[in-house]
């Protein structure tokens, strides 16, 4: 390696190296318009993007020589991007629930990793911790220098993505169809849940949009562990011209919302997947953290009695 490279052994693999920082600074100092391409297969700590001198950032993954041809077309606006993040991008990887357990590997002397985070992995951890107020706790503030709660923890939530145009959503059935089950009604384990959403391009250029449907299951403290929000279904439109509308039907079976109770935490003598009785709230979101904010963007269904699945519905 050249002798003039700067090394910082205190940095982790998913942080920028001093050379990468110098490269970005060189571009910012010499160009009026700056676009950062993240040519990485891993989620890195990308807080450096929050810079008024950086206009735009595009995660391209590992596109190869064929995929790379699409990049200038996207930057020129010939193609409208419609991708979404499939993981939460945190400012600091140490805020992951699993980080402390993985970091203990070298200290355990066994070469193994302690698995203690249960279901709280990825967005299920970040969103549930936020609802519980963890990011505003004195512990979190002191450990990670958090001042503004969730905003200082998550840079890009699961399901996040931008477009060159805007879309309006509305829950409404096609002619002759109905929302199943009826809004504010009840459901049973064999009834497929369907939600039809109209998506209209209200911007000035053509583009595709992704409709995301999440659910919130009833939770009791010290009961079966459940995240504050979980993805139920999603669908992408075709390319819509300005003013054009498409209906998307998102569907899933209630079994998807069941929770695995291997310790009989609810004390009903059953060990396995269960749908506990109570209210289930569906919400249309643009990411795991942000509701769309459209008309009827939330639907509440009620389960009258707990359902126990003694076997997989398919096998």
């Amino acid at each position: 390696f050249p002798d003039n490279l700067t090394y910082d052994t205190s940095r982790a693999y998913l942080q920028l190296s001093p050379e990468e920082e110098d490269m970005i600074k060189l571009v910012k100092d010499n160009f009026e318009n700056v676009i950062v391409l993240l040519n990485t297969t891993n989620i890195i700590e990308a807080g450096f993007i929050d810079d008024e001198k950086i206009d735009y950032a595009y995660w391209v993954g590992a596109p190869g020589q064929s995929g790379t041809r699409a990049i200038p077309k996207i930057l020129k606006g010939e193609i409208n991007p419609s991708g979404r993040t499939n993981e939460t991008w945190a400012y600091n990887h140490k805020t992951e629930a699993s980080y402390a357990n993985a970091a203990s590997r070298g200290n355990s002397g066994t070469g193994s990793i302690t698995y203690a985070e249960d279901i709280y992995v990825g967005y299920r951890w970040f969103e549930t911790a936020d609802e519980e107020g963890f990011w505003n706790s004195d512990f979190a503030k002191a450990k990670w220098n958090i001042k503004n709660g969730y905003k200082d923890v998550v840079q890009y939530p699961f399901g996040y993505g931008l477009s060159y145009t805007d879309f309006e959503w509305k829950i409404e059935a096609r002619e002759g169809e109905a929302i199943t089950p009826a809004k504010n009604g009840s459901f049973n384990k064999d009834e497929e849940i369907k939600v039809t959403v109209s998506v209209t391009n209200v911007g000035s250029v053509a583009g595709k949009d992704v409709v995301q449907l999440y659910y919130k299951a009833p939770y009791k403290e010290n009961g079966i562990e459940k995240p504050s929000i979980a993805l139920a279904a999603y669908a992408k439109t075709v390319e819509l011209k300005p003013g054009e509308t498409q209906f998307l039907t998102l569907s899933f079976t209630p079994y998807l919302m069941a929770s695995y109770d291997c310790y009989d935490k609810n004390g009903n003598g059953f060990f396995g997947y269960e749908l506990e009785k109570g209210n289930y709230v569906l919400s249309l979101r643009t990411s795991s953290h942000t509701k769309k904010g459209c008309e009827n963007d939330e639907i509440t269904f009620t389960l009258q009695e707990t359902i126990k699945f003694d076997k997989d519905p398919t096998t």
Side-chain angles (χ1 to χ4, degrees), residues 253-269:
T253 61
Y255 178 69
L256 180 140
M257 298 188 294
S259 300
Y260 190 58
D261 185 14
C262 56
Y263 303 113
D264 191 24
K265 283 198 168 185
N266 60 1
N268 65 354

Side-chain angles (χ1 to χ4, degrees), residues 79-310:
I79 297 175
N80 194 346
S82 57
R84 299 293 183 268
T85 54
N86 59 4
E87 277 285 0
T88 297
W89 287 59
Y91 282 106
N92 183 348
H93 277 81
K94 293 180 180 180
T95 57
E96 291 270 6
S98 58
Y99 181 86
N101 303 322
S104 67
R105 176 173 182 167
N107 300 325
S108 65
T110 62
S112 61
I113 297 176
T114 303
Y115 174 55
E117 57 271 19
D118 203 86
I119 65 169
Y120 300 107
V121 177
Y123 76 89
R124 290 173 177 81
W125 158 246
F126 288 102
E127 301 304 331
T128 307
D130 181 51
E131 182 167 296
E132 291 291 314
F134 177 69
W135 304 124
N136 291 310
S137 68
D138 291 339
F139 173 84
K141 290 178 180 178
K143 189 171 183 63
W144 298 298
N145 192 30
I146 296 171
K147 299 178 181 178
N148 302 299
Y150 184 92
K151 291 181 180 179
D152 289 350
V153 178
V154 174
Q155 187 173 16
Y156 304 118
F158 171 89
Y160 175 88
L162 297 178
S163 171
Y164 294 143
T165 189
D166 296 304
F167 298 90
E168 284 185 356
W169 302 353
K170 186 178 180 181
I171 294 180
E172 55 181 343
R174 293 187 183 94
E175 186 176 353
E177 293 184 357
I179 297 171
T180 307
K183 184 179 180 182
N184 298 327
S186 60
F187 66 92
N188 60 62
K189 70 181 181 70
D190 300 316
E191 182 178 23
E192 188 176 42
I193 295 174
K194 297 181 180 179
V195 177
T196 300
V197 181
S198 65
V199 182
T200 303
N201 185 343
V202 294
S204 58
V205 297
K208 301 176 182 179
D209 201 13
V210 180
V211 176
Q212 302 169 48
L213 182 65
Y214 291 79
Y215 72 89
K216 180 180 178 65
Y219 170 74
K220 293 181 180 179
E221 191 171 355
N222 298 319
I224 304 174
E225 294 294 343
K226 298 172 186 175
S228 64
I229 202 75
L231 181 67
Y234 63 93
K236 180 180 282 192
T237 68
V238 298
E239 185 170 82
L240 299 175
K241 298 177 182 178
E244 194 172 6
T245 299
Q246 181 183 0
F247 286 87
L248 295 175
T249 298
L250 293 85
S251 62
F252 61 95
T253 61
Y255 178 69
L256 180 140
M257 298 188 294
S259 300
Y260 190 58
D261 185 14
C262 56
Y263 303 113
D264 191 24
K265 283 198 168 185
N266 60 1
N268 65 354
F270 180 78
F271 301 85
Y273 281 97
E274 299 180 57
L275 272 171
E276 291 191 293
K277 65 179 180 180
N279 292 333
Y280 288 75
V281 182
L282 304 184
S283 59
L284 288 176
R285 298 180 176 232
T286 56
S287 73
S288 60
H289 190 70
T290 307
K291 293 180 183 178
K292 177 60 176 176
C294 60
E295 183 180 350
N296 297 329
D297 65 357
E298 244 185 31
I299 304 174
T300 299
F301 297 143
T302 302
L303 186 62
Q304 303 295 344
E305 297 293 335
T306 295
I307 298 173
K308 305 169 185 175
F309 293 91
D310 58 356

